[in-house]
Coordinates of all heavy atoms in Angstrom, one line a residue:
R1 N 115.7 94.4 133.8 CA 115.4 95.8 134.0 C 113.9 96.0 133.8 O 113.3 95.6 132.8 CB 116.2 96.7 133.1 CG 117.7 96.6 133.3 CD 118.5 97.7 132.6 NE 118.3 97.6 131.2 CZ 117.7 98.6 130.4 NH1 117.3 99.7 131.0 NH2 117.6 98.4 129.1
I2 N 113.3 96.8 134.7 CA 111.9 97.1 134.6 C 111.7 98.5 135.0 O 112.5 99.2 135.7 CB 111.0 96.2 135.5 CG1 111.4 96.4 137.0 CG2 111.2 94.7 135.2 CD1 110.4 95.6 138.0
V3 N 110.6 99.0 134.5 CA 110.0 100.4 134.9 C 108.7 100.1 135.6 O 107.9 99.4 135.1 CB 109.8 101.3 133.6 CG1 109.1 102.5 134.0 CG2 111.2 101.6 132.9
C4 N 108.6 100.8 136.7 CA 107.3 100.6 137.5 C 106.6 101.9 137.6 O 107.1 103.0 137.7 CB 107.7 100.2 139.0 SG 108.7 98.7 139.1
G5 N 105.3 101.8 137.5 CA 104.4 103.0 137.5 C 103.0 102.7 138.0 O 102.8 101.6 138.5
F6 N 102.2 103.7 137.9 CA 100.8 103.5 138.4 C 99.9 104.3 137.5 O 100.2 105.2 136.8 CB 100.7 104.0 139.9 CG 100.7 105.5 140.0 CD1 99.6 106.3 140.0 CD2 101.9 106.2 140.1 CE1 99.6 107.7 140.1 CE2 102.0 107.6 140.2 CZ 100.9 108.3 140.2
L7 N 98.6 103.8 137.5 CA 97.5 104.5 136.9 C 96.5 104.6 138.1 O 96.5 103.9 139.0 CB 96.9 103.8 135.7 CG 97.8 103.7 134.5 CD1 97.2 102.7 133.5 CD2 98.0 105.0 133.8
G8 N 95.6 105.6 137.9 CA 94.5 105.7 139.0 C 93.4 106.7 138.5 O 93.5 107.4 137.5
N9 N 92.4 106.6 139.3 CA 91.2 107.5 139.1 C 90.5 107.7 140.4 O 90.9 107.2 141.4 CB 90.3 107.0 138.0 CG 89.5 105.8 138.4 OD1 89.6 105.3 139.5 ND2 88.6 105.4 137.5
E10 N 89.5 108.6 140.4 CA 88.8 109.0 141.6 C 87.4 108.4 141.7 O 86.7 108.8 142.6 CB 88.7 110.5 141.7 CG 90.1 111.2 141.7 CD 90.9 110.8 142.9 OE1 90.3 110.6 144.0 OE2 92.1 110.5 142.8
T11 N 87.0 107.5 140.8 CA 85.7 107.0 140.9 C 85.5 106.0 142.1 O 86.2 105.0 142.1 CB 85.3 106.2 139.6 OG1 85.5 107.1 138.5 CG2 83.8 105.8 139.6
P12 N 84.6 106.3 143.0 CA 84.5 105.4 144.2 C 83.9 104.1 143.7 O 83.0 104.0 142.9 CB 83.5 106.1 145.1 CG 83.5 107.5 144.7 CD 83.8 107.5 143.2
G13 N 84.5 103.0 144.1 CA 84.0 101.6 143.8 C 84.0 101.4 142.3 O 83.0 100.8 141.8
D14 N 85.0 101.7 141.6 CA 85.0 101.6 140.1 C 84.7 100.2 139.7 O 85.4 99.2 140.0 CB 86.4 102.0 139.6 CG 86.4 102.2 138.1 OD1 86.2 101.2 137.4 OD2 86.5 103.4 137.6
T15 N 83.6 100.1 139.0 CA 83.1 98.7 138.6 C 84.0 98.0 137.7 O 84.3 96.8 137.9 CB 81.7 98.9 138.0 OG1 80.8 99.5 138.9 CG2 81.1 97.5 137.6
L16 N 84.6 98.6 136.7 CA 85.4 97.9 135.8 C 86.6 97.3 136.5 O 87.0 96.1 136.3 CB 85.9 98.8 134.7 CG 86.9 98.2 133.7 CD1 86.3 97.0 133.0 CD2 87.3 99.3 132.7
L17 N 87.3 98.1 137.4 CA 88.4 97.5 138.1 C 88.1 96.4 139.0 O 88.8 95.4 139.1 CB 89.1 98.6 138.9 CG 89.7 99.8 138.2 CD1 90.3 100.8 139.2 CD2 90.7 99.4 137.2
S18 N 86.9 96.4 139.6 CA 86.5 95.3 140.5 C 86.2 94.0 139.7 O 86.3 92.9 140.3 CB 85.3 95.7 141.3 OG 84.1 95.9 140.5
F19 N 85.9 94.1 138.5 CA 85.6 92.9 137.7 C 86.7 92.3 136.9 O 86.6 91.2 136.3 CB 84.4 93.2 136.7 CG 83.0 93.1 137.4 CD1 82.4 94.2 137.8 CD2 82.5 91.8 137.7 CE1 81.1 94.1 138.4 CE2 81.2 91.7 138.3 CZ 80.6 92.9 138.7
L20 N 87.8 93.1 136.8 CA 89.0 92.6 136.1 C 89.7 91.6 136.9 O 89.7 91.6 138.1 CB 89.9 93.7 135.7 CG 89.4 94.7 134.7 CD1 90.4 95.9 134.6 CD2 89.3 94.0 133.3
P21 N 90.5 90.7 136.3 CA 91.3 89.7 137.0 C 92.4 90.4 137.7 O 92.7 91.6 137.4 CB 91.9 88.8 135.9 CG 91.8 89.6 134.7 CD 90.6 90.5 134.8
P22 N 93.1 89.8 138.7 CA 94.1 90.4 139.5 C 95.3 90.9 138.7 O 96.0 91.8 139.1 CB 94.5 89.4 140.6 CG 93.5 88.4 140.5 CD 92.8 88.4 139.2
V23 N 95.6 90.2 137.6 CA 96.7 90.5 136.7 C 96.3 90.5 135.3 O 95.6 89.6 134.8 CB 97.9 89.5 136.9 CG1 99.1 89.9 136.1 CG2 98.3 89.4 138.4
L24 N 96.8 91.5 134.5 CA 96.6 91.5 133.1 C 98.0 91.5 132.5 O 98.8 92.3 132.9 CB 95.8 92.7 132.6 CG 94.3 92.8 133.0 CD1 93.8 94.1 132.6 CD2 93.5 91.7 132.3
R25 N 98.3 90.6 131.5 CA 99.6 90.6 130.9 C 99.4 91.0 129.4 O 98.5 90.5 128.7 CB 100.3 89.3 130.9 CG 101.6 89.2 130.2 CD 102.3 87.9 130.4 NE 101.5 86.8 130.0 CZ 101.9 85.5 130.2 NH1 103.1 85.2 130.8 NH2 101.2 84.5 129.8
L26 N 100.2 92.0 129.0 CA 100.1 92.5 127.6 C 101.4 92.3 126.9 O 102.5 92.8 127.4 CB 99.7 93.9 127.6 CG 99.5 94.6 126.2 CD1 98.3 93.9 125.5 CD2 99.2 96.1 126.3
D27 N 101.4 91.5 125.8 CA 102.6 91.4 125.0 C 102.7 92.5 124.0 O 102.1 92.6 123.0 CB 102.5 90.0 124.2 CG 103.8 89.7 123.4 OD1 104.7 90.5 123.5 OD2 103.8 88.7 122.7
V28 N 103.6 93.5 124.4 CA 103.6 94.7 123.6 C 104.0 94.5 122.2 O 103.4 95.1 121.3 CB 104.6 95.7 124.3 CG1 104.8 97.0 123.5 CG2 104.0 96.1 125.7
P29 N 105.1 93.7 121.9 CA 105.4 93.6 120.5 C 104.6 92.6 119.7 O 105.1 92.0 118.7 CB 106.9 93.2 120.5 CG 107.1 92.6 121.8 CD 106.0 93.0 122.7
E30 N 103.4 92.4 120.0 CA 102.6 91.4 119.4 C 102.2 91.7 117.9 O 102.0 90.8 117.1 CB 101.3 91.2 120.2 CG 100.5 90.0 119.8 CD 99.4 89.7 120.8 OE1 99.7 89.3 121.9 OE2 98.2 89.8 120.4
D31 N 102.0 93.0 117.6 CA 101.6 93.4 116.2 C 102.3 94.7 115.9 O 103.1 95.2 116.6 CB 100.1 93.5 116.2 CG 99.5 94.4 117.3 OD1 100.2 95.3 117.7 OD2 98.3 94.1 117.6
H32 N 101.9 95.3 114.7 CA 102.5 96.5 114.3 C 102.3 97.7 115.3 O 103.2 98.5 115.6 CB 102.0 96.9 112.9 CG 102.4 96.0 111.9 ND1 103.8 95.7 111.6 CD2 101.7 95.2 111.0 CE1 103.8 94.9 110.6 NE2 102.6 94.5 110.2
T33 N 101.1 97.7 115.9 CA 100.8 98.7 116.9 C 101.7 98.5 118.1 O 102.2 99.5 118.7 CB 99.3 98.7 117.3 OG1 98.5 98.9 116.2 CG2 99.0 99.7 118.4
G34 N 101.9 97.3 118.4 CA 102.7 97.0 119.6 C 104.2 97.4 119.3 O 104.9 97.8 120.3
E35 N 104.6 97.3 118.1 CA 106.0 97.7 117.8 C 106.2 99.2 118.0 O 107.2 99.6 118.5 CB 106.3 97.3 116.3 CG 106.4 95.8 116.1 CD 106.6 95.5 114.6 OE1 106.7 96.4 113.8 OE2 106.6 94.3 114.3
W36 N 105.1 99.9 117.6 CA 105.2 101.4 117.8 C 105.2 101.7 119.3 O 105.9 102.5 119.8 CB 104.0 102.1 117.2 CG 103.9 103.5 117.6 CD1 104.5 104.6 117.0 CD2 103.0 104.0 118.6 NE1 104.2 105.7 117.7 CE2 103.2 105.4 118.6 CE3 102.0 103.5 119.4 CZ2 102.5 106.3 119.5 CZ3 101.4 104.3 120.3 CH2 101.6 105.7 120.3
I37 N 104.3 101.0 120.1 CA 104.3 101.2 121.5 C 105.6 100.9 122.2 O 106.1 101.7 123.0 CB 103.1 100.3 122.2 CG1 101.8 100.9 121.7 CG2 103.2 100.3 123.7 CD1 100.6 100.0 122.1
E38 N 106.2 99.8 121.8 CA 107.5 99.4 122.4 C 108.6 100.4 122.1 O 109.3 100.8 123.0 CB 107.9 98.0 121.9 CG 109.2 97.6 122.6 CD 109.7 96.2 122.0 OE1 109.1 95.7 121.0 OE2 110.6 95.6 122.6
S39 N 108.6 100.9 120.9 CA 109.7 101.9 120.5 C 109.5 103.2 121.3 O 110.4 103.8 121.7 CB 109.7 102.1 119.0 OG 108.5 102.7 118.6
T40 N 108.2 103.6 121.4 CA 107.9 104.8 122.2 C 108.3 104.7 123.6 O 108.9 105.5 124.3 CB 106.4 105.2 122.0 OG1 106.1 105.3 120.7 CG2 106.1 106.5 122.7
F41 N 107.9 103.5 124.2 CA 108.2 103.2 125.6 C 109.8 103.3 125.8 O 110.3 103.9 126.8 CB 107.7 101.9 126.0 CG 107.2 101.8 127.4 CD1 105.9 101.5 127.6 CD2 108.0 102.1 128.5 CE1 105.4 101.4 128.9 CE2 107.5 102.0 129.8 CZ 106.2 101.7 130.0
R42 N 110.5 102.7 124.9 CA 111.9 102.6 125.1 C 112.6 104.0 124.9 O 113.5 104.3 125.7 CB 112.6 101.6 124.1 CG 112.2 100.2 124.4 CD 112.9 99.2 123.4 NE 112.7 97.9 123.8 CZ 113.4 97.2 124.8 NH1 114.4 97.9 125.4 NH2 113.1 96.0 125.1
F43 N 112.1 104.8 124.0 CA 112.6 106.1 123.8 C 112.4 107.0 125.0 O 113.3 107.6 125.5 CB 112.0 106.7 122.5 CG 112.3 108.2 122.3 CD1 113.6 108.5 121.8 CD2 111.5 109.2 122.7 CE1 113.9 109.9 121.6 CE2 111.8 110.5 122.6 CZ 113.1 110.9 122.0
A44 N 111.2 107.0 125.5 CA 110.8 107.8 126.6 C 111.6 107.3 127.9 O 112.0 108.1 128.7 CB 109.3 107.9 126.9

C-alpha cells in the first residue's frame, strides 16, 4: 500500500531541483524524529 503525492513551486529553472539526483530515498523510521514523522503520516 502506498500514498502518492506531489510537491512543487513556481521558480523558473529551480537550481536545486536540477542538481539533485533523479531519486531520493528517505528511511522515515531511521531515528526518533523519523518515528514521529512515521506516526504522523500514518495518522493523517
Side-chain angles (χ1 to χ4, degrees):
R1 293 191 302 118
I2 64 175
V3 173
C4 304
F6 72 94
L7 294 167
N9 72 356
E10 297 302 320
T11 304
D14 193 289
T15 299
L16 177 59
L17 295 182
S18 67
F19 278 100
L20 288 172
V23 183
L24 294 170
R25 179 174 57 184
L26 183 63
D27 183 3
V28 174
E30 188 170 298
D31 52 28
H32 292 301
T33 302
E35 292 173 4
W36 170 81
I37 290 172
E38 182 181 11
S39 63
T40 305
F41 216 122
R42 288 182 175 280
F43 173 80

